[in-house]
Amino acid sequence: MHSAPVLAIGEFSRLTHLGVRTLRRYHDAGLLGPACVDHATGYRYYTAEQIPAAQVIHRLRELDVPLPEVQRILRSPDPASRAALVADHPQRLESELERTRAAVASLRRLLQPEPPPLDVELRAVPAATVAAVEDDVAHDELLAWYAGAMAELDAAVEEPVGAPGTLCDNALFEHGRGHVLVYRPTARPPRRGRVHPVTLPAVELAVTTHAGPHDDIDVTYGELGAWVVANALAVAGPVRERYPVGPRDTDDASAWRTEIGWPVFHVGPG
Amino acid sequence: MHSAPVLAIGEFSRLTHLGVRTLRRYHDAGLLGPACVDHATGYRYYTAEQIPAAQVIHRLRELDVPLPEVQRILRSPDPASRAALVADHPQRLESELERTRAAVASLRRLLQPEPPPLDVELRAVPAATVAAVEDDVAHDELLAWYAGAMAELDAAVEEPVGAPGTLCDNALFEHGRGHVLVYRPTARPPRRGRVHPVTLPAVELAVTTHAGPHDDIDVTYGELGAWVVANALAVAGPVRERYPVGPRDTDDASAWRTEIGWPVFHVGPG
DNA sequence: GCTGGACCCTCCCCCGGGGGGAGGGTGCAC
DNA sequence: GTGCACCCTCCCCCCGGGGGAGGGTCCAGC
């Protein structure tokens, strides 16, 4: 026998294609400890049985699964529940891909040499009491939250008057988390579940309409913002959106129309 | 006039949806400097004209384009060359996706409850002089390098004898960079371009065959490594691969056959 | 003119998931 | 017994930010 089936860290590294330092890190993190540690020297010794675990970690890391999550997956002893945890991640990858697609679309529009002119309308919006759902939401959970809130709103409001809309706190974009309010105008706002009446204050808005899916809506935001700045109107308060034509109305995303209303402080003929 | 078209960093942040700290970082990095800086106070002032640039940066960052690369894109004044640089990135995303797909495939095999038994054969390989291309290669450029090297090899070798193969330094896997040699056996190895004769030393190999695409070849590597360890054979030298059936032979990836040869030190009937 | 509060500045430490290298102890084959 | 590959710990570096401290500035209202 040349070597007992006990592996020094370097051998284990060659067998698993994980770097020596990385193995030490995984040990420190409690992710993949050696089968035995020499107390006198600190030497780590692994066994061949640990190779599959190391490979699983390697693959999960290639999928950018964070180490604590990897730990949770390895801790779950049942292969079925383990598989379930792993199956969770394609979802994450899916949404990642979606984000990428949107960024590419937006980039294409940004790099387009001739931006079409922007139609901006100044509009005085009176105060109104509406049915609303509101919460503090993180940017990456926004879409899911939005879908749920809108569904609840739809179920609760019997006679909607006009298009639904949103008020978005700026903090949502600056810090990735902020207050969001989804509303639906109606004569008598109900109170059911998360749905409750809210009185939106009167505002003066600089309004433009974004056409198509929201992939590149940030570009329209920027153009509207530039317009507001160029026309010397001070800003204040949350941005408003309205959805005259949205996913509820048609599956043809190119037909969607989103009004973006930027609060302006001083509107007058001068 | 309430405000000149000069924007404090906070206003610019609201207009671009970039955090204040992030804007400061971009300034420090020379990526997006403010139009003007008050020397006395250090206050940064931006203009509305900078909004598109900020948005481009925002999108590129969403695509995980590193800041220096973003800078290169922004520096290129010509919209066409800029578009070309940007178009370069979908490629990167593509390969990213490929990596992800491979990791998922490999993971699926790893989590499979009943791994099929491994056929391992001990084989004494005599020394041989072959036509080879070799270089120090990084792991992520391996596939591209490999394709080029193999093509050059194919063009130079007139009468190949047997399947092509590879010698891979372990450092490639441990440190992400290492020496790789691609060879093709032939009676009289030519010397043309990068192709030159190399005498491969004789080795004893533990050989197993991996079936199908290389997505999950690391799993086979691990199984073979475990076998070598369990059978108490010391390892030494670079791992060898041979390609009896590869992409050159058929487009049906499931028909591919890759022999993995793990050098073992002491082979005998005992 | 003064004051308060919102805004801005710089500076330092933190995160994850490693990599590089220093400085020193070990295992093993010759 | 000696050389050398191997192993250990410890600290700093990378990226692209985030948190917060401590202090200066702008401006609207009075």
Side-chain angles (χ1 to χ4, degrees):
Chain A
M1 295 287 165
H2 279 85
S3 66
V6 65
L7 304 162
I9 197 169
E11 299 173 276
F12 194 66
S13 161
R14 278 185 288 279
L15 288 168
T16 59
H17 295 170
L18 287 165
V20 168
R21 330 182 62 99
T22 304
L23 286 172
R24 285 201 272 255
R25 181 177 310 276
Y26 290 170
H27 180 199
D28 293 345
L31 237 171
L32 178 68
C36 128
V37 177
D38 185 321
H39 285 262
T41 68
Y43 276 33
R44 295 167 177 86
Y45 293 104
Y46 297 80
T47 70
E49 283 76 42
Q50 301 188 278
I51 293 176
Q55 290 192 319
V56 169
I57 297 176
H58 199 170
R59 292 309 142 208
L60 290 173
R61 284 300 305 138
E62 277 191 351
L63 297 174
D64 287 321
V65 177
L67 291 188
E69 179 74 14
V70 173
Q71 188 162 23
R72 230 174 305 151
I73 292 174
L74 290 180
R75 286 271 193 273
S76 76
D78 175 14
S81 66
R82 190 183 296 199
L85 275 172
V86 171
D88 215 32
H89 281 279
Q91 242 180 29
R92 197 177 47 77
L93 296 171
E94 195 93 7
S95 76
E96 195 84 0
L97 205 62
E98 179 54 29
R99 193 178 62 101
T100 296
R101 210 187 48 73
V104 168
S106 162
L107 201 50
R108 215 189 313 276
R109 178 166 157 207
L110 271 171
L111 293 178
Q112 177 174 286
E114 293 286 330
L118 194 72
D119 270 340
V120 180
E121 171 200 348
L122 289 172
R123 189 185 297 172
V125 177
T129 298
V130 298
V133 174
E134 55 187 320
D135 204 352
D136 260 47
V137 181
H139 196 210
D140 42 354
E141 50 184 82
L142 182 59
L143 281 180
W145 178 87
Y146 184 88
M150 201 48 112
E152 204 168 331
L153 213 47
D154 276 341
V157 174
E158 286 168 10
E159 295 174 36
V161 181
T166 306
L167 272 70
C168 260
D169 201 7
N170 268 310
L172 180 66
F173 306 111
E174 288 175 47
H175 308 302
R177 165 168 286 280
H179 199 78
V180 181
L181 181 149
V182 180
Y183 72 86
R184 180 110 234 211
T186 182
R188 280 179 302 139
R191 183 181 299 275
R192 176 167 10 147
R194 291 184 296 170
V195 178
H196 58 280
V198 165
T199 299
L200 304 179
V203 278
E204 314 276 347
L205 295 177
V207 177
T208 194
T209 298
H210 173 84
H214 284 195
D215 294 342
D216 56 350
I217 200 168
D218 264 26
V219 181
T220 308
Y221 262 87
E223 290 172 353
L224 178 59
W227 185 94
V228 169
V229 168
N231 290 272
L233 303 159
V235 300
V239 170
R240 299 197 181 193
E241 290 184 3
R242 273 183 76 240
Y243 311 104
V245 185
R248 63 179 54 252
D249 304 305
T250 171
D251 284 341
D252 175 15
S254 68
W256 294 351
R257 292 297 177 269
T258 305
E259 286 180 7
I260 306 172
W262 200 289
V264 293
F265 201 62
H266 180 77
V267 179
Chain B
M1 295 284 165
H2 279 85
S3 65
V6 66
L7 304 162
I9 196 168
E11 300 173 274
F12 194 67
S13 161
R14 277 186 288 278
L15 288 169
T16 59
H17 295 169
L18 286 165
V20 169
R21 327 180 66 98
T22 304
L23 286 173
R24 285 201 271 255
R25 180 176 312 275
Y26 290 169
H27 180 199
D28 293 344
L31 237 172
L32 179 68
C36 127
V37 177
D38 186 321
H39 285 262
T41 68
Y43 275 34
R44 295 168 178 85
Y45 293 105
Y46 298 81
T47 69
E49 283 77 41
Q50 301 188 277
I51 293 176
Q55 288 191 321
V56 169
I57 297 175
H58 199 169
R59 292 308 143 211
L60 290 173
R61 285 300 305 138
E62 276 191 352
L63 297 174
D64 288 322
V65 177
L67 291 188
E69 181 71 16
V70 172
Q71 188 162 22
R72 230 174 305 151
I73 292 174
L74 290 180
R75 286 270 194 274
S76 75
D78 175 12
S81 66
R82 191 183 295 201
L85 275 171
V86 170
D88 214 31
H89 281 279
Q91 242 181 29
R92 197 178 48 77
L93 296 170
E94 194 92 9
S95 77
E96 196 83 359
L97 205 62
E98 178 53 30
R99 193 177 62 100
T100 296
R101 209 186 49 73
V104 167
S106 160
L107 201 52
R108 213 189 313 277
R109 177 166 159 209
L110 272 169
L111 294 177
Q112 172 176 290
E114 294 287 329
L118 193 71
D119 271 337
V120 181
E121 171 199 350
L122 290 173
R123 188 184 298 172
V125 176
T129 298
V130 298
V133 174
E134 55 187 320
D135 204 352
D136 260 47
V137 182
H139 196 209
D140 42 354
E141 50 185 80
L142 182 59
L143 281 181
W145 179 86
Y146 185 86
M150 202 47 112
E152 205 168 329
L153 214 46
D154 277 341
V157 174
E158 285 168 11
E159 294 173 37
V161 181
T166 307
L167 271 70
C168 260
D169 201 6
N170 268 311
L172 180 67
F173 306 110
E174 287 174 48
H175 308 301
R177 167 168 284 280
H179 199 78
V180 181
L181 180 150
V182 179
Y183 72 87
R184 182 111 235 211
T186 182
R188 280 179 302 141
R191 184 181 298 275
R192 180 174 359 152
R194 292 185 295 169
V195 178
H196 59 280
V198 166
T199 299
L200 304 179
V203 278
E204 314 277 345
L205 295 178
V207 177
T208 194
T209 298
H210 172 84
H214 285 194
D215 294 343
D216 56 349
I217 199 168
D218 263 26
V219 181
T220 307
Y221 262 89
E223 291 172 353
L224 179 59
W227 185 94
V228 169
V229 168
N231 291 271
L233 303 160
V235 301
V239 170
R240 299 196 180 193
E241 290 185 3
R242 273 184 74 240
Y243 311 104
V245 186
R248 63 180 53 249
D249 305 304
T250 171
D251 284 341
D252 175 16
S254 68
W256 295 350
R257 293 296 177 269
T258 305
E259 286 181 8
I260 306 173
W262 200 289
V264 293
F265 203 61
H266 181 78
V267 178

